Amino acid sequence: MSPAIALALGLATVLVAFAPALMLAAAAPASRRVTLLRVACAIAWTLLVLRVGAWSFATIYARPLAVVAVTAASLAALRRRRAQDAPRPRVAALALASIAALALDASAWSARFYAEPAVDVALPLAGGTYCVLQGGNSKLTSPFHGRAREYAALDIVKLSASGNRAHRLLPRVLADYASFDAPVTSPCDGVVSAVADALPDRPPADPDDAHPSGNYIVVRCATALVKLGHLRQRSLRVAAGARVRSGESVARIGNR
């Protein structure tokens, strides 16, 4: 994905997150039934964007502001003077929009539940603030991994001081990304099953589709195999067959 497209997605996320609050604040006075439906719809759609939006492409610090905005708009709407009830088709449309948003919310929040038993592992990253760009057992929260049925995969990015994944809105080189060259640690006490270390680091917007994981380390953690991908070329400190301890430095983040 090009930096320009990523920025556009980030800005769209922020705009869409604030849209329900703005629409609720601008709505004309209505009956109590319509007002309650409007509030439910605004909150449900805001929660959905909070869960699935590309916040790290813009700034994650806009998330709490969206919560404040929809809360303030909801309280103001509930205190507004009453008017006559809206026509039935309009009421039905509001009800359907609310139900649709709640259904999507349920799908997005169900991403944390899996049929398989959980395996406890530590976050293989340290020294900064990180967020999950995509992941979870839902196509809404993991659209790309979901298509490949890799629902256990997580794309984790380090955040800059501005809450963005990069130090500038349109990163040009790998060093512009907060994650680049950050240390990677073992997620458990285990044994390294496989490694790949020879692939060159690709410049932004030039992925290696033939090697989607890039350089990687696979660690056996209890009954699971944990793959640490997108590692920097020649940064691996372990070889296949090596025993590692949880928190032990094993590589650095690169780009595939």
Side-chain angles (χ1 to χ4, degrees), residues 59-109:
T59 173
I60 63 165
Y61 299 126
R63 295 177 82 248
L65 297 179
V67 174
V68 171
V70 77
T71 301
S74 298
L75 293 174
L78 293 171
R79 293 174 180 173
R80 199 174 298 153
R81 62 184 178 84
R82 300 287 176 257
Q84 291 184 346
D85 206 356
R88 288 186 177 181
R90 185 177 301 177
V91 174
L94 277 171
L96 288 175
S98 301
I99 292 171
L102 290 172
L104 292 172
D105 283 335
S107 176
W109 286 95

